[in-house]
Amino acid sequence: MNPFSSGTRLRDMIRAIRACKTAAEERGVVRKECAAIRAAINENDNDYRHRNLAKLMFIHMLGYPTHFGQMECLKLIASAGFPEKRIGYLGLMLLLDERQEVLMLVTNSLKQDLNHSNQYIVGLALCAMGNICSAEMARDLAPEVERLLQFRDPNIRKKAALCSIRIIKKVPELAENFINPAAALLREKHHGVLITGVQLCTELCKASEEALEYFRMKCTEGLVKTLKDLVNSPYAPEYDIAGITDPFLHIRLLKLLRVLGQGDEDASECMNDILAQVATKTESNKNAGNAILYECVATIMSIEDNGGLRVLAINILGRFLSNRDNNIRYVALNMLMRAITVDAQAVQRHRATILECVKDLDASIRKRALELVYVLVNESNVKPLTKELIDYLEVSDQDFKGDLTAKICSLVKKFSPEKIWYIDQMLKVLSEAGNFVKDEVWHAVIVVITNSPDLHGYAVRALYRALQTSADQETLVRVAVWCIGEYGDMLVNNIGMLDVEDPITVTESDAVDIIEIALKHHTSDLTTKAMALIALLKLSSRFPSCSERIKEIVVQYKGSLVLELQQRSIELNSIIAKHQNIRSTLVERMPTLDLLEWEEKQSGSIPNTTSSTPAHASINIPNGVVKPSSAPLVDLLDLNSDDVPAPSSSGGDSFHGLLDIDLSGAPKQSGVNHSPNNGTDALLDLLSTATPTQSSSAISDLLNSGQDNKTPVSPLEVLSSPFSNSIQPTSSAGAIDLLDSFATNSPIQENNGPAYPSVVAFESSNLRIGFNFSKLPGNPQTTIIKATFTNLSPSVYTDFIFQAAVPKFLQLHLEPASGNTLPASGNESITQTLRVTNSQHGKKSLVMRIRIAYKMNNKDVLEEGQINNFPQGL
Amino acid sequence: MIRAVIVINTQGKPRLAKFYEFQPVEKQQELIRSVYGVLSSRAENVSNFLDAESIFGPDTRLVYKHFATLYFVFVFDSSENELAMLDLIQVFVETLDKCFKNVCELDVVLNYSKLHTVLDEIIFGGQVLETSSTEVLKAVEEISKCLFCPSPSFCLNILFEGGLYTCSCLDWND
């Protein structure tokens, strides 16, 4: 033996690894050790084999590959000594798994060791088998294990019992062989063996119906007696946990009783008394006692109906809820969640305590309690519960507000007894946590308000008041701005006063003031500002005295750097300045949206929005303004336009559907580019009534030519001529979609975002590569590129390989190509999918270096190139 | 069934990782890292339970206990009682404490294989084997007695050659 190959001791290696300051240093040490171990393996070094394997196990734990040591495990297991075998089996359990074929080789050694005269070696073999036994091994070794269930030493008996569990899990049909020996284990006095015996019986019941019946008939009474003895047993020091005798055995017995009692009245009847005894006699001031109570409750809930016991069980859970220990409250909430399906009434009684848990300091308890409260709410208690939750909203953690708000909104929507209550509650939520309210929720608030004509005045006044105190809640501002725009006259003249309201004095200029504040507030985002501009337009007609002032405000945005605002400003200004005669009809109050229809549309579009990631869902929708109003706008045009080829209402619908698509699919960055499009369309539609000369014909062009995919681009450019140079190719591609759906009259649901034009990425005299782009919904960073390779030469290419490299900010993943042979003259092509993730999405565009290797006429050809012509925004 | 027992220190280094359902090494490391990520960001006085479904897949729960510089983590499914698992961690730690006389992280690191022996006497193939720390200790001691030096003649060499080589049996036999 070469003395220099012996390497370091295990301990020294661990010390060396621990002394490493950096990960690189650690890798270095591990690499050196692994090299030494490999060398030792090659030399078939016997003396240090077990030490090397011990080292490998440590290295494995740190996450380095150790597969080269697998055969060493087998060699050690086959050796005679206990220390070698021990390390061998340990390595077997850690480094190998049941799926590896090497394992086949170990079956024989296992069989020998199971029959070994040294009981510790038998123990080792059982342990290894219990951890990694495969189905085949189970079949081969089941008789040995079965025999060991009657071994004299209890340590072996209990290991054999657990090993049997593994066997019947792997091969359920072996279960019947184990029924009798398992039943014998239930009569054991040794706690350890008894626990494992009970576990084996529980698993047998799960694996085989026959076993379940057998144990139900033969063992229920015996188990009840065992549990009774245990409950009444005197103090047993070695199984004592915090003053309670063997809580683990209690729990296992209760669990087996649960399996036996479920679905069987006689068995359930038989265990009622002992369950009641456990539930009342167990001390509940320690974790161990509570663990037993918790298991007991679970058993009571699962066995056949006994009303009295269930009330007792739910009361125990109620007591848990006021326990000081977080863990106890946590499990109680979990269990109550399950109990609610069994006995909702009994759970309702603990509502107050559960509500307290919503305010718990521990976030996971809060979350569970909130879920439970959510399930507990019904028509009769919605008012007090919502009040409690909204009150708590004021003081809750920022992290929790999102969850809480979502739940409150959903409750209010589901159970609201009357509209005024709904509006009141939603106003409270909007003012407290408006920034956490989802878009569809505040849209719904607006729809509900428009649907309650008698509450228009009330709502607008309440919103006005709320806005004065909570101007920083974005969604509140939006709803308020919209309502003031629509119902400003009701605000000023106190129309539709309800008895419960205090009168309020608001002048016309106050109303304009508050919108101006919203427009100029630094926290307002694009949507809010755009909504504010529209509201101002509406007010300019409602309050003629303020018209001049509104015009001035609107004009200020003529130079806005945000395209959307600039455009709106110019358009609105032109309506105010040039089209006085039609202005009042233009800005008439919105017709009521049909609530049901709107909800249907919402639920129709929900699959769209939910398919995107949560981060995506929170994107501010730039065209939120248009969304609720676009359909009425179309209606409006229908009314006013005799000589204009106005879009039919079906066109309006698909337009609406289209907006939905855009909303769900548009990635954050391109969303801004998109909004001018939608805005332009809606507003140009609107304008077309006034100037039916040029632009309306363009619109009709646009509508008529919708059948063709390519032509609409040009009319659109005419339409948006002032901006056409700023609209990126992406948005015009979006516009094609828009027109597509006009033509087909059905919104394209599967469209997942803006389409990107295909490019010819590479072209040489012999080869052309085309790239097709698509995006995954909700993941704007990742682009799926479908590359198509076409052979331009007259000869066949074989062994075709495409390789690509990207800079660091990109990640590239190549799927396998569709083939490696490319027939001549473009007869067929190879396709290959590339997935590129751009970590600098929106800042840097894609770039890629490629290399193509193939054989033409058995000659190697290598082509290289760089691709810079990716469309923007990928 | 218990799915995994993990011991990590407060710096995120794994000190013991035993998965009762096979996981490839990379996956194991990833799981350990995510568990550490969640644990290290948890406040002190909160419950010992964690929603593990996002890390370990459906029907999994996680109980952990923090002792000095070590986190002891048990991952298991709904067939186990959460509170009992908490007690089982206690049993495991108490046993180690008796084994090493005031166990500290260094004991755990250096006696890696002994740690496994103890664990194997408490949890067996994902099932609870023994819950009394005295019984576990007894079994572990009996096993230790069986650990004689694999090559006694080689050990004699140490004496004669002035400690040039150290016998590998020292690595776990103390």
Side-chain angles (χ1 to χ4, degrees), chain A residues 187-494:
Chain A
R187 291 188 289 273
E188 284 275 353
K189 290 281 172 280
H190 187 282
H191 278 216
V193 184
L194 190 51
I195 284 193
T196 54
V198 173
Q199 284 184 86
L200 175 56
C201 291
T202 314
E203 293 298 329
L204 279 169
C205 290
K206 283 184 199 160
S208 126
E209 194 63 34
E210 187 195 340
L212 177 62
E213 278 309 312
Y214 179 87
F215 289 124
R216 210 175 250 162
M217 298 299 296
K218 297 271 166 77
C219 302
T220 312
E221 275 174 42
L223 284 166
V224 168
K225 185 170 176 306
T226 314
L227 184 55
K228 198 171 275 170
D229 290 347
L230 183 63
V231 173
N232 300 319
S233 69
Y235 182 69
E238 79 257 52
Y239 282 99
D240 173 79
I241 305 253
I244 304 220
T245 310
D246 207 348
F248 296 101
L249 184 55
H250 271 97
I251 288 165
R252 292 291 169 202
L253 284 169
L254 285 167
K255 191 164 284 178
L256 180 53
L257 287 179
R258 171 154 86 235
V259 176
L260 297 179
Q262 212 160 18
D264 189 281
E265 291 207 5
D266 292 341
S268 301
E269 186 64 40
C270 176
M271 60 189 77
N272 274 341
D273 284 349
I274 184 65
L275 290 179
Q277 202 187 341
V278 173
T280 45
K281 275 189 77 175
T282 312
E283 279 180 58
S284 64
N285 49 2
K286 288 277 164 49
N287 184 53
N290 283 324
I292 297 178
L293 283 175
Y294 176 55
E295 198 64 43
C296 185
V297 169
T299 302
I300 292 174
M301 289 294 170
S302 308
I303 63 169
E304 289 313 295
D305 200 23
N306 180 318
L309 270 183
R310 288 212 168 141
V311 172
L312 184 65
I314 291 178
N315 286 343
I316 291 177
L317 294 179
R319 256 196 349 255
F320 276 10
L321 286 182
S322 28
N323 197 304
R324 290 221 329 279
D325 186 348
N326 291 333
N327 299 329
I328 308 287
R329 291 202 298 279
Y330 180 94
V331 294
L333 287 169
N334 271 347
M335 188 57 94
L336 281 170
M337 200 70 173
R338 275 193 262 162
I340 205 162
T341 51
V342 180
D343 191 349
Q345 217 43 50
V347 181
Q348 286 282 2
R349 274 202 291 279
H350 300 281
R351 212 168 50 214
T353 345
I354 297 170
L355 210 51
E356 280 310 302
C357 290
V358 175
K359 304 169 189 172
D360 204 285
L361 286 174
D362 186 338
S364 44
I365 291 181
R366 278 203 303 260
K367 193 164 158 253
R368 258 140 234 279
L370 182 61
E371 275 163 17
L372 193 56
V373 168
Y374 183 72
V375 187
L376 280 179
V377 172
N378 56 29
E379 280 83 359
S380 61
N381 59 21
V382 62
K383 284 194 175 178
L385 278 179
T386 313
K387 183 175 180 309
E388 281 279 341
L389 292 178
I390 291 182
D391 286 350
Y392 179 58
L393 192 56
E394 280 175 47
V395 291
S396 67
D397 272 7
Q398 287 298 321
D399 311 344
F400 192 48
K401 274 193 174 146
D403 273 355
L404 193 54
T405 311
K407 284 280 193 290
I408 297 176
C409 291
S410 151
L411 283 179
V412 169
K413 180 166 173 259
K414 211 158 120 197
F415 293 109
S416 105
E418 60 225 331
K419 279 183 176 160
I420 183 164
W421 185 82
Y422 172 89
I423 293 175
D424 278 344
Q425 305 310 313
M426 288 314 297
L427 273 188
K428 281 189 203 155
V429 174
L430 287 175
S431 346
E432 275 312 324
N435 291 336
F436 296 95
V437 171
K438 298 238 164 49
D439 282 320
E440 58 267 22
V441 173
W442 68 264
H443 292 168
V445 176
I446 291 185
V447 175
V448 170
I449 292 177
T450 60
N451 268 290
S452 352
D454 45 332
L455 294 176
H456 284 170
Y458 172 74
V460 71
R461 281 186 293 275
L463 280 162
Y464 181 82
R465 278 199 204 96
L467 200 52
Q468 313 230 282
T469 50
S470 324
D472 52 341
Q473 303 292 344
E474 191 88 38
T475 54
L476 175 75
V477 175
R478 288 185 198 162
V479 176
V481 160
W482 192 87
C483 285
I484 293 173
E486 289 296 309
Y487 313 118
D489 45 337
M490 296 181 137
L491 172 67
V492 174
N493 304 326
N494 275 335

Side-chain angles (χ1 to χ4, degrees), chain A residues 818-855:
Chain A
S818 62
N820 64 354
T821 309
L822 202 51
S825 317
N827 279 337
E828 256 178 76
S829 47
I830 295 179
T831 56
Q832 184 164 20
T833 306
L834 292 76
R835 212 163 43 221
V836 185
T837 305
N838 186 351
S839 61
Q840 304 263 3
H841 178 70
K843 289 185 213 134
K844 291 190 183 173
S845 48
L846 300 190
V847 59
M848 192 181 284
R849 229 179 236 151
I850 55 167
R851 174 193 283 175
I852 309 103
Y854 52 87
K855 278 192 179 143

Side-chain angles (χ1 to χ4, degrees), chain A residues 26 50-51 57 61 86 97 99 120 158-159 199 239 252 255 291 294-295 326-327 362 368, chain B residues 13 22 29 45 47-48 51 79-82 87 112 117 121 127-128 130 132 142 171-172:
Chain A
E26 182 185 295
H50 56 323
R51 186 172 80 181
M57 282 187 273
M61 181 178 67
R86 180 169 150 283
D97 78 289
R99 274 164 287 179
Y120 299 106
K158 64 187 185 189
K159 281 182 183 167
Q199 284 184 86
Y239 282 99
R252 292 291 169 202
K255 191 164 284 178
Y294 176 55
E295 198 64 43
N326 291 333
N327 299 329
D362 186 338
R368 258 140 234 279
Chain B
K13 282 271 169 214
F22 178 76
Q29 293 302 311
N45 44 31
S47 68
N48 297 65
D51 232 346
S79 68
E80 301 286 340
N81 180 318
E82 292 104 319
D87 278 335
Y112 174 69
T117 313
E121 287 301 317
Q127 309 284 344
V128 181
E130 180 57 68
S132 148
E142 278 169 7
D171 282 343
W172 46 74

Side-chain angles (χ1 to χ4, degrees), chain A residues 60 70 92-100 131-132 166 170, chain B residues 1 3 18-28 31:
Chain A
H60 176 265
Q70 289 174 352
L92 185 74
M93 288 186 274
L94 290 177
L95 309 184
L96 276 84
D97 78 289
E98 60 186 83
R99 274 164 287 179
Q100 265 148 341
N131 277 295
I132 53 140
R166 173 91 184 188
K170 288 288 152 197
Chain B
M1 175 181 176
R3 304 230 178 146
K18 178 110 180 169
F19 290 82
Y20 292 99
E21 280 171 344
F22 178 76
Q23 307 279 2
V25 190
E26 307 78 39
K27 182 77 185 160
Q28 289 187 9
L31 292 173

Side-chain angles (χ1 to χ4, degrees), chain A residues 526 530 561-568 571 621-626 655 659 662 666-685 687 716 719-728 730-732 734-735 738:
Chain A
L526 177 61
L561 291 177
V562 183
L563 189 59
E564 170 76 13
L565 294 181
Q566 188 191 62
Q567 186 181 348
R568 265 175 211 252
E571 285 161 357
I621 296 170
N623 30 24
V625 200
V626 192
F655 175 52
L659 282 179
D662 265 356
K668 220 170 198 160
Q669 279 80 1
S670 66
V672 180
N673 297 334
H674 264 248
S675 55
N677 246 339
N678 299 319
T680 332
D681 292 335
L683 285 162
L684 278 172
D685 283 357
L687 286 172
L716 189 87
L719 270 177
S720 48
S721 48
F723 319 107
S724 58
N725 45 5
S726 60
I727 293 180
Q728 293 176 350
T730 49
S731 37
S732 65
L738 191 147

Side-chain angles (χ1 to χ4, degrees), chain A residues 491-513:
Chain A
L491 172 67
V492 174
N493 304 326
N494 275 335
I495 295 174
M497 203 64 178
L498 299 186
D499 297 340
V500 290
E501 278 185 86
D502 296 327
I504 171 175
T505 327
V506 184
T507 64
E508 296 185 349
S509 80
D510 287 342
V512 177
D513 278 347

Side-chain angles (χ1 to χ4, degrees), chain A residues 53 56-57 60 65-77 87-107 110 127-134 137 166, chain B residues 17-25 28:
Chain A
L53 193 58
L56 273 185
M57 282 187 273
H60 176 265
T66 50
H67 47 86
F68 54 86
Q70 289 174 352
M71 282 315 282
E72 295 299 287
C73 296
L74 304 191
K75 285 182 194 159
L76 281 174
I77 290 171
I87 289 291
Y89 277 122
L90 205 52
L92 185 74
M93 288 186 274
L94 290 177
L95 309 184
L96 276 84
D97 78 289
E98 60 186 83
R99 274 164 287 179
Q100 265 148 341
E101 298 206 341
V102 195
L103 216 53
M104 296 281 294
L105 306 173
V106 94
T107 313
L110 269 175
C127 186
M129 213 185 137
N131 277 295
I132 53 140
C133 157
S134 63
M137 214 187 256
R166 173 91 184 188
Chain B
K18 178 110 180 169
F19 290 82
Y20 292 99
E21 280 171 344
F22 178 76
Q23 307 279 2
V25 190
Q28 289 187 9

